């Protein structure tokens, strides 16, 4: 069960710079597509080279973005915080 109301989802989507210019109808339609997912601390959300199929907005907590170096060791790139988002480039760049 999703714990966020459609109004909360729309507000969260509208806060992201990517969607700030959308009108109310577009925000409503987009908000209805979002679902809430919870991840435990230290959980792997996506791996480098995974096929992009989701866009994530961080509601709470921190997401650590890392990639593997040439020796296969994780290299921290950035920590993302509340209201940050990720996954958009994979969706934009994805070829049909």
């Amino acid at each position: 069960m999703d714990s966020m109301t459609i109004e909360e989802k729309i507000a969260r989507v509208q806060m992201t710079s990517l969607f700030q210019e959308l009108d109310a109808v577009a925000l409503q339609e987009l908000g209805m597509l979002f679902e809430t997912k919870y991840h435990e601390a230290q959980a792997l959300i996506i791996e480098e080279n995974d096929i992009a199929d989701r866009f994530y907005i961080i509601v709470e907590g921190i997401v650590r973005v890392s990639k593997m170096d040439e020796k296969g060791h994780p290299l921290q790139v950035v920590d993302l915080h509340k209201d940050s988002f990720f996954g958009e480039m994979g969706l934009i760049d994805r070829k049909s």
Side-chain angles (χ1 to χ4, degrees):
M1 175 155 162
D2 206 329
S3 63
M4 292 181 75
T5 66
I6 187 66
E7 292 80 13
E8 290 170 320
K9 291 178 185 181
I10 291 168
R12 187 70 57 189
V13 168
Q14 191 172 24
M15 281 193 279
T16 64
S17 58
L18 196 59
F19 302 118
Q20 284 179 340
E21 301 299 319
L22 293 181
D23 64 28
V25 173
L27 284 169
Q28 176 82 17
E29 290 174 0
L30 190 58
M32 289 171 43
L33 297 174
F34 277 73
E35 63 183 74
T36 305
K37 295 264 187 187
Y38 295 93
H39 297 278
E40 296 294 325
Q42 305 296 318
L44 180 64
I45 299 173
I46 57 174
E47 286 190 87
E48 191 172 5
N49 299 319
D50 278 355
I51 295 173
D53 64 350
R54 290 195 171 33
F55 173 79
Y56 298 87
I57 300 173
I58 302 167
V59 175
E60 67 179 56
I62 299 171
V63 172
R64 175 158 293 149
V65 178
S66 59
K67 62 184 286 175
M68 296 298 181
D69 66 15
E70 58 278 348
K71 294 182 181 181
H73 300 102
L75 175 66
Q76 182 178 337
V77 176
V78 68
D79 283 343
L80 300 175
H81 300 268
K82 181 179 179 182
D83 298 327
S84 297
F85 56 88
F86 62 99
E88 77 286 358
M89 292 309 297
L91 293 175
I92 292 168
D93 292 343
R94 184 171 58 182
K95 300 202 180 351
S96 302

